[in-house]
Amino acid sequence: MPTREHEFPLALIEDDPPLAARLLHWAGGPELPPYAEFRLESADLSECDPAEYRADRVVGVYEDPDGRPLCGVIAESQRRYDGNKYWTWPAYVANFRARKKCEAFLVVLCFDERVAERCRMRIPLGNPHSCLHVLVAGPNEIPLITSADEVEDPLDAVVSAVIHASGPKGREVFDAMFTAVTERVEDEQNRRSYIDNVVALQPDDVRAMLEELVKTRHDEPKTELFKSWKAEGKSEGKVEESQRLLLALLDTRGLRIDDTRRELVEGCEDREQLEAWFRRAAVASSVDEVFAE
């Protein structure tokens, strides 16, 4: 089952596709034009059966909305080192280039520096001097943001807090993220989701510290926001998380659902039903199999 740690940064890219370009730049890749249009693309990078290559998220970067993309950014989230990626990552890049007739960049987001170090590699491609240089955005590359004034996009502060909240400047990092999100993210549900996920992804001792930090903030609207989560979390939090993970799994496996079925998932309050759909989605070959009566 996809974990919150794996899925949350990918959900951030869905909310803000240009974030993939910023991750790429932090990892040492090129700085892409800020005026370009960023679109989520199909994550299915397969070319033929039986081989299947499915990236975590793919973002197309367009200068001309009606033309082919200027380039693509393939974003992977790695909680632990996976030796199979040595063979599949080059296929992601090659298949995107062949399909879209443009360059493709691979960036790997790592929470742990030990995992990041193993992912920073050059993968030989056979011909002399030909290789894929894997660009990694790990703790050494993700900016340490300690003030909300340092960022233009609040999701940069969210990513920084996910990675650095358990570090020596965790309080300042979390406070910067909390301020940026509560002041600059208009949708209340998104504000809750960002802060809740950052807190939940930390070790137990850090999580307790961050929860206490939120509760003791002097800014009343922010304190009340946290209190409302606590009141609703017992009944709604697990259901909402199950809904989100099911939709994320369907997207990751390329099982595209229409608006009617999306509304069915988002309106379902039965956790057992959501979990049944999730189990089917993990192995189903079609959307109809997932939602069969």
Side-chain angles (χ1 to χ4, degrees):
M1 177 180 292
T3 65
R4 185 195 296 245
E5 187 179 35
H6 179 269
E7 291 297 315
F8 178 54
L10 304 177
L12 294 179
I13 293 174
E14 288 189 0
D15 290 346
D16 181 27
L19 176 60
R22 298 197 295 278
L23 289 172
L24 175 67
H25 185 55
W26 292 340
E31 186 169 7
L32 302 181
Y35 54 82
E37 178 183 345
F38 295 82
R39 301 182 201 165
L40 286 173
E41 305 279 358
S42 171
D44 186 348
L45 298 176
S46 305
E47 284 299 327
C48 61
D49 292 331
E52 182 176 284
Y53 301 109
R54 196 175 303 278
D56 285 335
R57 292 297 182 275
V58 179
V59 174
V61 183
Y62 292 80
E63 285 190 306
D64 177 3
D66 297 322
R68 69 169 183 257
L70 175 69
C71 64
V73 181
I74 301 167
E76 289 276 285
S77 176
Q78 290 296 116
R79 296 183 298 113
R80 59 180 62 89
Y81 178 74
D82 180 355
N84 288 329
K85 299 296 186 179
Y86 182 89
W87 306 106
T88 58
W89 280 339
Y92 293 175
V93 174
N95 288 349
F96 184 89
R97 293 178 77 250
R99 179 181 302 171
K100 296 294 186 176
K101 303 297 188 294
C102 67
E103 294 303 327
F105 301 98
L106 172 73
V107 59
V108 180
L109 175 63
C110 297
F111 292 77
D112 185 274
E113 183 55 33
R114 290 170 297 182
V115 175
E117 185 59 32
R118 297 194 69 183
C119 290
R120 293 186 190 102
M121 56 183 165
R122 293 179 181 270
I123 302 176
L125 301 180
N127 287 354
H129 312 297
S130 177
C131 66
L132 172 65
H133 182 188
V134 179
L135 299 172
V136 174
N140 286 348
E141 290 80 24
I142 301 296
L144 181 70
I145 297 173
T146 56
S147 170
D149 296 333
E150 296 178 29
V151 293
E152 295 183 5
D153 192 311
L155 291 196
D156 291 359
V158 174
V159 176
S160 178
V162 168
I163 302 298
H164 298 299
S166 60
K169 292 191 175 183
R171 283 180 176 268
E172 296 97 317
V173 169
F174 183 79
D175 189 69
M177 182 277 297
F178 195 93
T179 300
V181 166
T182 54
E183 291 182 354
R184 298 165 61 183
V185 175
E186 295 182 0
D187 185 89
E188 182 178 349
Q189 184 174 350
N190 284 344
R191 292 198 302 269
R192 295 184 183 190
S193 175
Y194 297 154
I195 299 174
D196 179 55
N197 277 284
V198 169
V199 172
L201 288 171
Q202 306 308 316
D204 290 345
D205 55 337
V206 177
R207 185 185 310 123
M209 179 271 290
L210 296 180
E211 290 179 349
E212 188 62 28
L213 179 63
V214 175
K215 287 188 288 186
T216 56
R217 287 289 296 266
H218 295 296
D219 192 327
E220 187 62 21
K222 296 168 187 174
T223 303
E224 289 303 314
L225 173 64
F226 183 79
K227 288 179 179 178
S228 70
W229 287 359
K230 303 297 282 186
E232 297 173 8
K234 294 181 180 179
S235 61
E236 295 183 7
K238 292 183 178 179
V239 168
E240 291 177 356
E241 184 68 1
S242 296
Q243 293 168 348
R244 188 186 66 78
L245 287 175
L246 172 57
L247 292 172
L249 177 60
L250 289 167
D251 180 70
T252 298
R253 296 206 62 234
L255 299 172
R256 306 302 179 190
I257 60 175
D258 56 25
D259 291 342
T260 300
R261 279 173 168 157
R262 181 173 294 275
E263 290 173 3
L264 177 66
V265 171
E266 293 175 343
C268 180
E269 301 293 331
D270 185 346
R271 286 197 68 208
E272 291 184 0
Q273 178 63 76
L274 290 166
E275 290 172 1
W277 286 335
F278 190 98
R279 288 192 294 271
R280 294 179 195 170
V283 297
S285 58
S286 71
V287 172
D288 290 337
E289 290 182 26
V290 178
F291 295 98
E293 295 291 335

